[in-house]
């Protein structure tokens, strides 16, 4: 008897594209489990204890796209990810020129999944911050150059952070 995750692995091996939250909901599994069902060459995982190191490095990368997907809405902000500081149990993002700010619960991150896969006919790369329920509460997508390709400098840093060989 095949399990839901076995079936999902087969489906994603044939077609790894799609909105992960929708796929997870359809199969009644977490986003983290959905990502882990993708072909193994498309993702790397770090423990959530790496949150501070990663969140503090991303502002140095230049323009990225930050996404929060609640299922009922997808909120996207493009530009430099804000720097922040820890206080009162949150990582507090300092407001950027464009008004991007916010607060990330300090102990929310249980896993960080680095993902490279085709999406809308282009290769995409993202850092996915996963909570205790296996839901992705924050995604940061690498920027693109003038030709629409992933920025090589960001991809190099992405590979270094994720130990992508």
């Amino acid at each position: 008897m095949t399990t839901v995750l076995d079936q999902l692995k087969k489906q994603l091996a044939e077609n790894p594209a799609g909105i992960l939250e929708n796929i997870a909901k359809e199969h009644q599994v977490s986003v983290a489990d959905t990502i882990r069902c993708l072909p193994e060459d498309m993702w790397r995982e770090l423990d959530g204890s790496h949150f501070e190191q990663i969140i503090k490095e991303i502002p140095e990368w230049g323009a990225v796209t930050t996404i929060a997907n609640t299922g009922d809405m997808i909120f996207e902000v493009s530009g430099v990810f804000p720097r922040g500081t820890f206080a009162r149990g949150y990582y507090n993002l300092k407001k950027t020129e464009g008004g991007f700010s916010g607060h990330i619960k300090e102990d929310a991150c249980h896993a960080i999944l680095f993902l490279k896969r085709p999406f809308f006919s282009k290769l995409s790369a993202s850092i996915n911050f996963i909570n205790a329920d296996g839901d992705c509460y924050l995604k940061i997508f690498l920027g693109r150059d003038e030709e629409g390709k992933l920025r090589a400098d960001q991809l190099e840093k992405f590979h270094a952070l994720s130990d992508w060989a």
Side-chain angles (χ1 to χ4, degrees):
M1 182 170 93
T2 61
T3 67
V4 170
L5 294 179
D6 291 332
Q7 292 169 353
L8 185 54
K9 279 183 182 186
K10 184 178 180 201
Q11 174 187 329
L12 291 173
E14 294 170 9
N15 180 12
I19 298 172
L20 295 171
E21 288 79 2
N22 294 353
I23 296 168
K25 186 176 182 179
E26 176 186 331
H27 290 85
Q28 298 180 332
V29 299
S30 70
V31 171
D33 284 341
T34 302
I35 292 172
R36 291 176 186 125
C37 284
L38 286 163
E40 289 182 10
D41 64 339
M42 292 185 183
W43 60 276
R44 299 291 183 274
E45 183 170 355
L46 292 180
D47 184 77
S49 64
H50 294 274
F51 173 79
E52 181 175 356
Q53 170 201 359
I54 292 167
I55 206 75
K56 286 185 172 182
E57 185 169 322
I58 293 169
E60 307 303 320
W61 291 15
V64 294
T65 299
T66 303
I67 297 178
N69 181 340
T70 68
D72 294 323
M73 68 98 201
I74 301 172
F75 186 78
E76 297 183 19
V77 177
S78 293
V80 176
F81 190 83
R83 288 180 172 77
T85 56
F86 288 97
R88 297 180 187 90
Y90 287 85
Y91 184 69
N92 301 290
L93 303 174
K94 298 178 189 282
K95 190 180 290 187
T96 64
E97 256 184 57
F100 181 10
S101 66
H103 312 276
I104 304 169
K105 195 170 178 208
E106 188 173 348
D107 62 356
C109 190
H110 285 255
I112 303 165
L113 287 159
F114 291 77
L115 181 58
K116 274 193 328 188
R117 69 184 179 122
F119 191 70
F120 291 119
S121 74
K122 290 185 179 180
L123 181 64
S124 71
S126 62
I127 304 171
N128 300 264
F129 296 87
I130 306 295
N131 66 20
D133 295 329
D135 295 323
C136 182
Y137 64 90
L138 174 66
K139 294 181 190 187
I140 300 173
F141 280 83
L142 276 56
R144 296 189 179 280
D145 64 19
E146 315 77 47
E147 297 174 4
K149 295 180 182 172
L150 293 175
R151 285 185 42 185
D153 61 325
Q154 289 183 0
L155 194 55
E156 184 177 316
K157 292 172 184 174
F158 174 91
H159 287 156
L161 272 181
S162 62
D163 247 351
W164 210 292

